[in-house]
Amino acid sequence: MFRNDKKNNNNRDRHYVTIKSRLSEVYKTPVGHDLLCKIGIYSGKGSDWIKNPFVGFLRLSVVLSVLKGISSDFLDVCCKLLNNTTAAAQVMVHGMPDKVGEISQEEPEEWWREAVFYQIYPRSFYDSDGDGLGDLNGIIEKLDYIESIGVDCIWLCPIYDSPNADNGYDVRDYEMIMAEFGNMEIFEKLLEEIHKRKMRLIVDLVVNHTSDEHEWFRKALEDPDGEFGKFYFLRKGTDEKTPPNNWESCFGGSAWNYYKEQGVWALHVFSKKQMDLNWDNPKLRMKIEDMINRWLDKGVDGFRLDAVNLISKEDGLPDGNVDLGNFIGYRGAEKYFYGPHLHEYLHEVCKECFEKYNAFSVGETPGLGLEMSKLLTNPLRRELNMVFNFDHLESDGHLRFDTYKYDLNWYKSYIKDWTENYSGSVRPALYFENHDNPRMVSKICDDEHYRVILCKLLALLLLTERGTPFIYQGEEIGMVNKKFKGMSDIEDVESLGLFEKKLSEGMKAEEAFKHILAGTRDHARSPMQWTKEPYGGFTTGKPWFIGDNDYEVCNVEDSQADPNSVLNFYREVIKLRRSDRDLTYGKMVIMNAHIPNYFAYTRGKYFIECNLVDRNIIRPEQKVERKKRVRLERILGSYGDMNMVQGLLRPYEANLYRIVSEE
Ligand code: ISL
């Protein structure tokens, strides 16, 4: 009835949604599909709730009448969003109005489909000069280590000159290296050394906003009506107490900052030192494109585009819907998270920059779902190569700052959706961790006893599912969340803002800290653990940020020496992946999907099976095992030993087998 109905799919882009539309019709528009799935996820009903025919038959107006506390303009806002974004997507289908998202050809062979990526958060990677901050020379010193993992491409978080209000995601100068990290000469050496080792480098591109200390913004304030004033969203507002609209920053507080001297307000969706750029201005776009091309001239191989789905804001910057704001935690997002010109601007950057250099692009797209991802990455549309989807990061009904146990069955259903509904179109950017999230292993199970086994299970999934894997520094040795004791241990601007917000809402400090502890980005930003030495051998000085003493039990040096370490498991699986294309391009077929706590699939001649919980489960016999001339040969698994327990899978046991024919 829904996604698999070709006729309906082809008509998806022609739908006009009104308050009288049935939910099944809403579901047929790309944005409607993704929003309804998200509502299902956040309300704990799962992403499939809408497939229930009774639910699908309901009209939006009926939903309105049963949802208490939702104002009538909420659904109007949703309808408008659906219709605008559907129309915007359609505009950019370069002469192919009926092919909004579908592509059915085999995946072409391209390096980034085969690559394993490794993400570095430079500030916390390795300090070569004892000032307590990681730096570019530190990365150069560790390149042999990175190469030894078997990865193909490094993604470097921002290394540009920055006042560090958000650790480099507030760029002061796109063409200078942050002095604490090194200089352009060292960057060029780093690039050369990476290329020498036959690896590639992509850099973070933060172009939704700049620092308020960027020259453009300073000039904008000097002359708000001049050329640079039009690079940002500067508005007079009614007075100095009333911002131009009701949008809130996702880091807390109003999304507007008032500049008394100039009598103007400036928009910042993130912190008040990260000023949103006005992409509607072609001069600004040209400046950005020129800057991108200069990095490409230098030889970088591509970009991770930070928060890139936020670059197009709705004309007139209208107020955000209050109910929706309460639902997602801050107001206004619906006016820019999938804005009217997003596709158009991305297509322009692709044409003017990426395509000219055959450069790779992966967009970070918070809030978008799979249908929207499909539109952004369809090669026929020429926008982005891949996007980072967020839907798997928290299991059903939970948010990052909730204290709860992540259920891997949720992850299984997410991958099942990709596999069954999107394998002909979107190539997933697979990841469990990055610098914005706590460590995945800690979210699932904090029992030290299962740490190594569970990390290996996650590694096996990451490296054998269909998609391009991204490993985050420290994940490959099994780093876990930090034992922060109080707010004085916390560094991150987002956590600090949220803590204040919770206090202002009347929450007790102790309770608010619990909240922060569950979701703070600092868990992933603590220094990389290299050795048993003080501060994990990250620095000879005092680190910019102290995590805890976990390096005594988990560090690179010991992991290298231990054949059963998480690190050596990563190496082993990557080696296998590199040696056999089945693990890159092979079809992924999920088996026995109906059995809870059990996740199994084939990739070409390989069979992978996992126990998703911390207790034994019955191992279902596979069909191939009943055939006479075929057997499963176990190659590697999360339990170092090969002593499988007959008929059972031990807690978090994950195995990879070769399907061997004996004819
Ligand atoms: O962590 C989040 C806020 O709760 C995410 O929504 C995050 O802000 C969003 O994914 C955008 O992240 C990127 O841009 C931010 C920066 O702080 C993040 O580190 C970066 O990954 C602003 O540049």
Side-chain angles (χ1 to χ4, degrees), residues 459-563:
L460 195 63
L461 292 175
L462 187 71
L463 296 165
T464 64
E465 287 162 347
R466 181 182 162 272
T468 296
F470 286 75
I471 303 168
Y472 177 66
Q473 69 183 44
E475 191 176 0
E476 81 281 13
I477 55 168
M479 282 177 65
V480 293
N481 279 356
K482 299 283 114 187
K483 298 184 180 69
F484 299 122
K485 295 197 179 64
M487 282 310 286
S488 57
D489 292 344
I490 299 294
E491 284 283 336
D492 178 32
V493 60
E494 179 197 46
S495 299
L496 299 173
L498 188 66
F499 184 73
E500 288 309 316
K501 189 171 176 207
K502 291 287 163 198
L503 294 187
S504 72
E505 287 166 2
M507 196 180 264
K508 292 221 167 67
E510 205 177 308
E511 182 73 8
F513 174 64
K514 241 174 89 187
H515 212 60
I516 301 300
L517 192 61
T520 181
R521 311 192 291 187
D522 280 342
H523 284 302
R525 297 178 177 191
S526 65
M528 179 74 183
Q529 299 170 183
W530 295 102
T531 66
K532 274 202 189 64
E533 288 160 316
Y535 308 127
F538 160 72
T539 178
T540 50
K542 189 153 188 257
W544 70 279
F545 163 39
I546 299 173
D548 54 22
N549 290 351
D550 185 57
Y551 54 78
E552 288 167 4
V553 293
C554 169
N555 61 64
V556 171
E557 195 174 57
D558 291 350
S559 303
Q560 312 240 47
D562 174 3

Side-chain angles (χ1 to χ4, degrees), residues 133-407:
L133 280 181
D135 48 48
L136 298 187
N137 272 327
I139 300 174
I140 296 177
E141 279 187 44
K142 297 294 181 187
L143 281 181
D144 287 341
Y145 164 70
I146 298 173
E147 188 189 12
S148 81
I149 305 170
V151 302
D152 307 274
C153 184
I154 294 173
W155 151 24
L156 211 51
C157 284
I159 36 129
Y160 314 101
D161 174 46
S162 161
N164 285 308
D166 188 15
N167 291 354
Y169 282 95
D170 45 326
V171 180
R172 184 164 46 201
D173 186 337
Y174 288 108
E175 303 190 42
M176 250 180 82
I177 301 294
M178 196 190 294
E180 301 91 310
F181 287 175
N183 55 38
M184 198 51 91
E185 214 179 306
I186 305 177
F187 174 81
E188 281 161 7
K189 174 148 183 259
L190 170 65
L191 184 59
E192 193 188 317
E193 290 293 324
I194 290 174
H195 284 162
K196 229 193 250 172
R197 289 168 175 78
K198 305 262 176 303
M199 295 190 287
R200 289 183 165 87
L201 176 70
I202 65 166
V203 289
D204 230 299
L205 190 63
V206 191
V207 285
N208 172 66
H209 46 268
T210 68
S211 160
D212 63 342
E213 296 183 27
H214 193 289
E215 190 191 7
W216 297 341
F217 190 72
R218 283 195 280 112
K219 287 190 173 157
L221 283 188
E222 276 164 25
D223 179 10
D225 297 320
E227 183 187 350
F228 291 97
K230 298 190 182 70
F231 275 26
Y232 296 88
F233 295 95
L234 301 183
R235 298 288 182 274
K236 286 271 175 219
T238 341
D239 55 56
E240 61 185 79
K241 296 236 158 54
T242 324
N245 69 23
N246 71 353
W247 297 4
E248 288 169 317
S249 150
C250 58
F251 287 168
S254 164
W256 293 90
N257 198 33
Y258 188 65
Y259 295 85
K260 207 173 172 135
E261 210 177 300
Q262 297 75 12
V264 290
W265 293 87
L267 176 70
H268 61 90
V269 163
F270 293 96
S271 86
K272 63 173 179 236
K273 284 188 67 68
Q274 293 166 292
M275 316 319 293
D276 280 67
L277 286 165
N278 176 10
W279 275 69
D280 296 331
N281 180 349
K283 280 200 183 144
L284 179 265
R285 298 206 299 277
M286 216 193 294
K287 281 253 187 221
I288 290 180
E289 286 154 13
D290 289 347
M291 174 274 286
I292 295 176
N293 286 341
R294 283 192 287 276
W295 281 100
L296 288 167
D297 283 334
K298 239 181 225 311
V300 303
D301 300 286
F303 302 92
R304 175 261 189 192
L305 290 90
D306 185 65
V308 76
N309 56 314
L310 314 188
I311 58 175
S312 166
K313 273 81 180 172
E314 193 171 315
D315 272 352
L317 311 179
D319 273 349
N321 182 270
V322 176
D323 295 324
L324 195 59
N326 291 340
F327 186 62
I328 56 177
Y330 49 92
R331 279 192 302 262
E334 78 276 16
K335 306 294 179 195
Y336 57 75
F337 91 107
Y338 192 65
H341 303 288
L342 174 64
H343 288 290
E344 195 182 318
Y345 297 157
L346 286 177
H347 179 60
E348 181 180 309
V349 175
C350 179
K351 236 172 45 190
E352 297 303 323
C353 309
F354 306 151
E355 283 186 352
K356 288 188 179 159
Y357 293 80
N358 197 16
F360 166 73
S361 58
V362 54
E364 191 225 16
T365 50
L368 298 197
L370 293 182
E371 285 294 327
M372 298 184 249
S373 308
K374 188 155 106 176
L375 291 171
L376 290 164
T377 60
N378 180 343
L380 298 173
R381 299 168 59 89
R382 299 159 60 204
E383 295 174 24
L384 296 167
N385 291 133
M386 286 199 296
V387 293
F388 287 111
N389 185 279
F390 283 46
D391 286 346
H392 64 300
L393 286 175
E394 310 307 330
S395 52
D396 225 8
H398 297 286
L399 297 173
R400 173 150 57 91
F401 289 96
D402 293 346
T403 308
Y404 78 101
K405 235 178 136 179
Y406 184 97
D407 181 358

